[in-house]
Amino acid sequence: MRYQLTSPYLKGNESKYLRRALSENWISSRGENIIKFERRFAEYLKIPYAIAVTNGTAALHLALLSLGIKEGDEVVVPDLTFAATINAVIYTGATPVIVDIEKDSWCMSPENFKKAITPKTRAVIPVHIYGQPCNMKAISKIALDSGIDMVEDCAEALGAEYNGKKVGLFGKVSCFSFYANKIITTGEGGMCVTKDKRIAERIKLFRDHGMNPHKKYWHIAVGYNYRLTNLQASIGLAQLERIDGLIKHRNRIEDFYRKNLSDISSLVPQRNDLAKRRKVTWLVSFLIKGDKTERDKLIGELFKRGIETRPFFYPLSRMPIYRNFRRNKISIAWEIAQRGINFPTDLNFMDSDLREIIKSIREIYKSK
Ligand SMILES: *Cc1c(COP(=O)(O)O)cnc(C)c1O
């Protein structure tokens, strides 16, 4: 493959901090870089508590546990997301309820969320998909009016804003992922953030085997080992100190695609003009004017030219293991998922690489 969809961009202090942690022998889940990484992440979002964890899925699981979500409860999730969102709900024993998305933002539809509420609904997980913030005003209001806790899934949208406020500041708990292809990476890693001290303490308790923090080896809950290591936090620290530059760099890649493909009417870029929402670029996302066959043909043609792309996530409700969790009719997610494509979004690209990719895409459309 000439051009991968994405790859980690580690051109700052990553290896310096990592080598220092190694040479100081702090390789496990204690060490000052974890504390620093949590503190700086909290400062970046301007939120009191940030708790680093093994990965984004664990962050979601801990968020739900800390809110007391359990068997018999219902948790609303959008149809278009990565499976971790719904899996975390299932881990707690609660029942996920899948709802449709908005046509313009591809995020959870507030109306469909509202329609799915029953007396058992305890939480909702809006997902800021492909870097696009959800309609936080509408979703927050419905949740508040119905006494439902909100957990934001910010795995793909670190730095995005709604109404001038960063995503992650709206939920009771909000969750981030630092997987290799996310906006910042620690290899594998995640973060929970919250304004609530008691929730933060519960997350820490469940992260560390349910062990009483004041009485070692005395367990007061059945917990997990969801700790991040000091080595991973070293990478995270180096990424976080460059976050504004990294986000700008990603946005510039997207702008390059948008500008150079704007005359191809078959390719419709992700909306970046929705009221109150300031998206970030995770993976550059376009819709094909046409159907799945056409989308898959483009993926195949680009593959032949050594360019890796990715179709959008399959809608959860299409997969047999999740199908029964759908409550109302779903149509928009099914349509968007079949028409969506992610183009290579690799910060290691030179401008010439991007030009090559654009050239290939244009050739495919010209020859039609
Ligand atoms: C990546 C991702 C996650 C899970 O994060 P991991 O760190 O891979 O466990 C959760 N939700 C969404 C929307 C994601 O994209």
Side-chain angles (χ1 to χ4, degrees):
M1 195 63 66
R2 259 195 316 161
Y3 298 114
Q4 282 183 287
L5 186 72
T6 176
S7 69
Y9 184 67
L10 308 169
K11 302 225 165 119
N13 286 320
E14 285 84 352
S15 74
K16 181 174 148 197
Y17 294 167
L18 196 51
R19 273 180 285 135
R20 192 186 296 159
L22 258 178
S23 71
E24 290 172 357
N25 222 17
W26 291 103
I27 65 166
S28 196
S29 50
R30 280 171 60 199
E32 63 178 28
N33 288 346
I34 298 167
I35 315 272
K36 268 196 213 161
F37 184 45
E38 291 180 333
R39 200 176 57 224
R40 303 240 170 105
F41 196 87
E43 283 165 8
Y44 174 71
L45 283 181
K46 301 195 172 69
I47 196 162
Y49 305 100
I51 304 104
V53 298
T54 325
N55 55 58
T57 313
L60 287 163
H61 187 196
L62 289 176
L64 295 167
L65 288 172
S66 74
L67 297 171
I69 305 298
K70 57 182 190 317
E71 196 180 337
D73 297 336
E74 289 180 357
V75 179
V76 180
V77 300
D79 200 20
L80 185 68
T81 182
F82 179 59
T85 315
I86 192 169
N87 287 343
V89 175
I90 296 169
Y91 299 163
T92 67
T95 304
V97 173
I98 303 169
V99 300
D100 208 353
I101 57 170
E102 295 178 313
K103 206 170 180 89
D104 54 1
S105 71
W106 313 336
C107 294
M108 174 184 285
S109 140
E111 295 88 72
N112 283 289
F113 160 39
K114 197 169 178 179
K115 269 194 262 169
I117 294 172
T118 72
K120 289 182 179 169
T121 311
R122 284 280 324 278
V124 59
I125 313 182
V127 180
H128 309 296
I129 197 80
Y130 298 121
Q132 183 80 269
C134 299
N135 184 341
M136 293 318 290
K137 187 174 173 208
I139 293 172
S140 302
K141 182 167 190 315
I142 297 164
L144 194 69
D145 290 349
S146 319
I148 294 167
D149 285 335
M150 181 160 70
V151 172
E152 279 178 82
D153 183 339
C154 308
E156 302 177 4
L158 176 61
E161 292 179 3
Y162 180 87
N163 212 6
K165 213 164 108 176
K166 286 205 168 63
V167 300
L169 294 173
F170 297 87
K172 263 256 155 77
V173 187
S174 300
C175 303
F176 294 83
S177 163
F178 309 130
Y179 179 64
N181 67 17
K182 297 293 163 75
I183 293 182
I184 66 169
T185 185
T186 58
E188 296 275 0
M191 193 77 81
C192 290
V193 302
T194 180
K195 295 171 189 156
D196 187 316
K197 184 162 187 251
R198 282 186 39 239
I199 290 176
E201 278 166 3
R202 276 206 292 273
I203 292 172
K204 284 185 197 161
L205 177 73
F206 283 114
R207 173 179 69 174
D208 194 18
H209 301 285
M211 199 183 335
N212 185 337
H214 310 294
K215 187 171 170 181
K216 280 213 143 183
Y217 303 105
W218 186 261
H219 295 260
I220 53 179
V222 179
Y224 300 82
N225 177 357
Y226 277 170
R227 298 174 308 226
L228 192 77
T229 69
N230 197 57
L231 294 179
Q232 293 167 310
S234 310
I235 301 171
L237 266 178
Q239 293 260 299
L240 197 53
E241 69 189 13
R242 296 184 292 138
I243 176 105
D244 293 335
L246 292 175
I247 290 173
K248 263 193 208 131
H249 191 160
R250 299 188 91 87
N251 291 343
R252 244 187 287 124
I253 292 176
E254 178 173 343
D255 286 344
F256 195 86
Y257 279 99
R258 297 175 87 98
K259 210 165 67 214
N260 289 288
L261 297 173
S262 61
D263 59 323
I264 299 181
S265 62
S266 307
L267 291 176
V268 185
Q270 183 180 20
R271 294 285 294 271
N272 63 357
D273 58 347
L274 297 173
K276 300 196 173 123
R277 311 194 210 197
R278 199 158 118 206
K279 70 180 280 295
V280 290
T281 301
W282 175 47
L283 297 174
V284 172
S285 305
F286 275 70
L287 293 184
I288 310 296
K289 248 190 209 150
D291 56 11
K292 183 176 185 307
T293 322
E294 243 166 272
R295 193 267 315 266
D296 294 347
K297 226 162 59 197
L298 176 61
I299 290 176
E301 283 295 322
L302 287 168
F303 185 82
K304 272 195 256 163
R305 291 165 170 80
I307 298 167
E308 184 188 21
T309 58
R310 196 205 266 183
F312 275 15
F313 297 120
Y314 293 105
L316 296 175
S317 66
R318 279 262 146 150
M319 294 181 259
I321 42 166
Y322 304 124
R323 185 151 46 207
N324 293 334
F325 298 126
R326 172 161 57 111
R327 178 141 302 155
N328 296 308
K329 193 173 145 285
I330 291 182
S331 55
I332 299 170
W334 290 11
E335 187 213 319
I336 300 291
Q338 294 187 50
R339 293 172 48 211
I341 183 170
N342 299 124
F343 289 128
T345 314
D346 188 336
L347 276 64
N348 295 293
F349 284 156
M350 314 285 266
D351 281 358
S352 54
D353 297 321
L354 284 170
R355 277 199 296 272
E356 278 295 311
I357 294 167
I358 294 284
K359 205 173 101 196
S360 295
I361 299 172
R362 297 188 67 86
E363 268 168 22
I364 292 166
Y365 279 97
K366 224 181 355 201
S367 65
K368 274 192 184 160

